[in-house]
Amino acid sequence: MGSKYTKRYTAEFKRDAIALVDSTGKTVTAVARELGISSESPRGWYRQAGADRGEGAPGELTTAEREELKRLRRQNAEQARTIEVLRKAAVFFAKESDR
């Protein structure tokens, strides 16, 4: 089983790893081995960097689009909670006015 701890890498480290793959012509797996990290992490970073440059698969989101989507989902959830509170308040006050 995997570890519960997820290693976080800085944006600079990710950029450097991607640049290393591009500049040396080595595979992502070879660069990952040199850096002493799992090959899955830089493979995802490399794929995302390609999408950010417009080289991704059709429909693949750029980093900016992912951030915007995350922000909009958070905003949507907050608005849904607000609507629920207001709906309950309306029901409460409707019952109070019937008395």
Side-chain angles (χ1 to χ4, degrees):
M1 286 240 216
S3 171
K4 292 182 182 180
Y5 175 74
T6 302
K7 175 80 172 160
R8 300 281 181 194
Y9 299 100
T10 65
E12 182 182 13
F13 181 82
K14 293 175 184 181
R15 273 193 311 273
D16 290 346
I18 292 166
L20 197 56
V21 171
D22 287 336
S23 66
T24 62
K26 294 181 182 178
T27 64
V28 173
T29 304
V31 170
R33 195 174 303 121
E34 285 178 14
L35 296 174
I37 59 176
S38 164
S39 64
E40 292 306 310
S41 295
R43 186 171 288 121
W45 305 336
Y46 194 75
R47 187 179 310 116
Q48 188 62 50
D52 289 345
R53 290 188 305 259
E55 302 167 359
E60 190 171 3
L61 299 177
T62 64
T63 301
E65 290 170 333
R66 286 179 189 274
E67 291 300 317
E68 176 74 0
L69 183 59
K70 191 185 306 184
R71 184 187 67 77
L72 290 172
R73 284 181 174 165
R74 224 179 1 254
Q75 182 180 357
N76 189 29
E78 182 181 330
Q79 288 175 345
R81 287 188 299 270
T82 301
I83 290 169
E84 183 62 22
V85 167
L86 292 172
R87 186 189 66 76
K88 289 179 180 180
V91 169
F92 173 77
F93 286 117
K95 287 180 183 177
E96 286 293 315
S97 65
D98 288 343
R99 288 184 185 183

